[in-house]
């Protein structure tokens, strides 16, 4: 059995801080919380239709992280790959943590933005474990 | 009223070139040419026609205004997107070409450009700003 990974695909938005939360969250998950279980891919490359990337996404679980209700990551993945296993909106973590108002700065991001990203990353990492467990149960 | 130039960065998360493209785009739009430029979001651009208003507004803007695409790698994702939906971009900036001219400036990582990486992003942004000026002069 080939080792399965979960692909984390943030929306790549650069207009507002909510896209930055998604990007920062993805890096925390891939570099720290679920380091050996996850990988990143560029959304623009997926949208472009790079064949080997699309195939890899079809064979693995995919989590989309979006920064606004337009859901570019989710919609673009559905169009290019035909599935998304789990979807998160960064605005939800902001609503759940009213005391941590994200700073508008995108480069660099502010301290509240970092804290929100850590909180969302913890949720995403938990979902990664759930998705990989589903994979194992299916393979058994 | 003067037309604006649309800046479309590839913004890819996997490579440091994507991070540089994103940082350079923000520097141009926020600091160097705030009155003459606007950021167009690449993934939204590609999601045109989907639920709600998608990226159709971005595509229409790029049809009616000059655009500069910024490419973090050789895949040319931003340029291909603009070509496909709105016509040829006015100019394409290749991060790698500029980075090779400044080998002493090594970005720390894709997650954090560090001091060198931010200096490189500023240089790339200056190059983009020059192209913006050229586009305005040619009108």
């Amino acid at each position: 059995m080939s080792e399965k990974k979960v692909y984390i695909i943030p929306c790549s938005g650069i207009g507002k801080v909510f896209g930055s939360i998604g990007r920062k969250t993805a890096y925390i998950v891939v570099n720290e919380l679920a380091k050996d279980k996850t990988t990143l891919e560029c959304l623009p490359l997926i949208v472009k239709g790079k064949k080997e990337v699309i195939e890899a996404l079809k064979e693995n679980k995919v989590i989309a992280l979006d920064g606004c209700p337009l859901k570019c990551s989710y919609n673009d993945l559905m169009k290019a790959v035909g599935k998304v296993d789990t979807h998160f909106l960064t605005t939800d973590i902001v609503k759940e943590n009213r005391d941590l108002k994200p700073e508008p700065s995108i480069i660099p991001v502010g301290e509240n933005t970092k804290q929100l990203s850590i909180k969302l990353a913890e949720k995403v990492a938990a979902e990664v474990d759930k998705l990989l467990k589903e994979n194992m149960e299916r393979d058994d | 009223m003067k037309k604006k130039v649309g800046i479309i960065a590839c913004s890819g998360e996997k490579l440091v070139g994507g991070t540089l493209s994103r940082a350079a785009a923000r520097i141009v739009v926020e600091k160097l040419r705030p009155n003459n430029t606007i950021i167009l979001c690449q993934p939204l651009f590609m999601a045109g026609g989907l639920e709600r208003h998608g990226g159709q507004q971005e595509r229409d803007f790029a049809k009616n205004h000059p655009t500069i695409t910024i490419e973090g790698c050789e895949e040319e994702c931003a340029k291909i997107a603009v070509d496909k939906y709105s016509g040829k971009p006015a100019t394409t900036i290749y991060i790698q070409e500029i980075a090779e001219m400044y080998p002493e400036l090594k970005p720390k990582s894709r997650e954090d450009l560090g001091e060198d990486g931010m200096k490189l992003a500023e240089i790339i942004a200056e190059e983009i700003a020059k192209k913006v000026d050229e586009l305005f002069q040619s009108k």
Side-chain angles (χ1 to χ4, degrees):
Chain A
M1 186 189 84
S2 63
E3 194 183 348
K4 297 280 185 185
K5 290 215 171 192
V6 177
Y7 277 78
I8 310 293
I9 314 292
C11 74
S12 298
I14 58 174
K16 293 192 173 69
V17 72
F18 304 106
S20 305
I21 295 173
R23 186 175 309 115
K24 184 95 186 143
T25 296
Y27 286 142
I28 295 168
V29 172
V30 171
N31 294 337
E32 297 168 34
L33 301 184
K35 194 175 178 179
D36 299 320
K37 306 169 190 173
T38 55
T39 190
L40 262 181
E41 194 48 83
C42 293
L43 182 60
L45 192 60
I46 297 165
V47 169
K48 185 185 151 190
K50 184 91 172 171
K51 199 177 169 190
E52 52 267 44
V53 173
I54 302 292
E55 288 308 311
L57 287 159
K58 283 180 178 170
E59 289 167 13
N60 289 275
K61 299 286 188 185
V62 181
I63 295 178
L65 304 179
D66 274 308
C68 81
L70 291 174
K71 300 191 294 184
C72 291
S73 179
Y74 177 86
N75 285 326
D76 285 338
L77 281 163
M78 288 304 288
K79 194 173 172 186
V81 184
K83 66 151 189 157
V84 170
D85 295 289
T86 307
H87 177 237
F88 288 93
L89 263 177
T90 66
T91 45
D92 287 341
I93 202 77
V94 176
K95 284 179 198 161
E96 289 165 20
N97 294 274
R98 298 280 187 195
D99 53 325
L100 291 174
K101 191 178 176 197
E103 300 85 351
S105 171
I106 290 173
I107 299 172
V109 295
E111 199 51 44
N112 284 353
T113 302
K114 285 181 192 169
Q115 291 303 315
L116 287 163
S117 304
I118 291 167
K119 286 178 182 289
L120 181 56
E122 285 165 355
K123 288 189 172 201
V124 175
E127 190 62 26
V128 167
D129 287 337
K130 200 172 131 192
L131 290 173
L132 289 174
K133 194 176 168 204
E134 278 175 25
N135 265 349
M136 284 173 66
E137 285 169 359
R138 195 189 58 205
D139 289 343
D140 287 346
Chain B
M1 191 180 79
K2 276 189 176 178
K3 274 193 170 186
K4 290 202 173 197
V5 174
I7 308 290
I8 308 184
C10 82
S11 292
E13 271 78 14
K14 196 175 181 182
L15 303 174
V16 73
T19 310
L20 283 166
S21 79
R22 191 181 315 125
R26 295 292 325 176
I27 293 166
V28 172
V29 172
E30 283 177 18
K31 284 167 60 180
L32 302 183
R33 299 294 182 272
N35 299 321
N36 298 345
T37 56
I38 187 167
I39 278 186
L40 300 179
C41 183
Q42 205 268 5
L44 180 58
F45 190 92
M46 296 301 287
L50 292 175
E51 65 181 53
R52 301 179 67 157
H53 58 275
Q56 195 56 48
Q57 285 178 334
E58 321 273 298
R59 291 181 187 179
D60 290 344
F61 182 94
K63 273 180 195 164
N64 300 315
H65 297 74
T67 53
I68 297 176
T69 66
I70 313 169
E71 309 295 341
C73 78
E74 70 285 357
E75 293 286 345
E76 298 186 313
C77 294
K79 180 174 183 277
I80 288 170
V82 176
D83 261 339
K84 187 172 177 182
Y85 291 109
S86 303
K88 202 174 177 328
T91 305
T92 295
I93 301 280
Y94 295 94
I95 297 287
Q96 196 58 35
E97 284 180 7
I98 300 174
E100 281 169 7
M101 291 161 65
Y102 299 89
E104 72 281 11
L105 294 178
K106 298 190 189 311
K108 196 169 140 195
S109 67
R110 66 184 180 186
E111 294 82 2
D112 175 11
L113 290 176
E115 199 176 324
D116 273 10
M118 281 311 293
K119 274 186 198 165
L120 186 54
E122 296 271 358
I123 290 167
I124 295 163
E126 292 284 355
E127 289 298 316
I128 298 164
K130 277 185 206 163
K131 298 289 182 190
V132 171
D133 294 344
E134 284 171 20
L135 287 170
F136 269 84
Q137 282 161 14
S138 67
K139 277 182 192 169

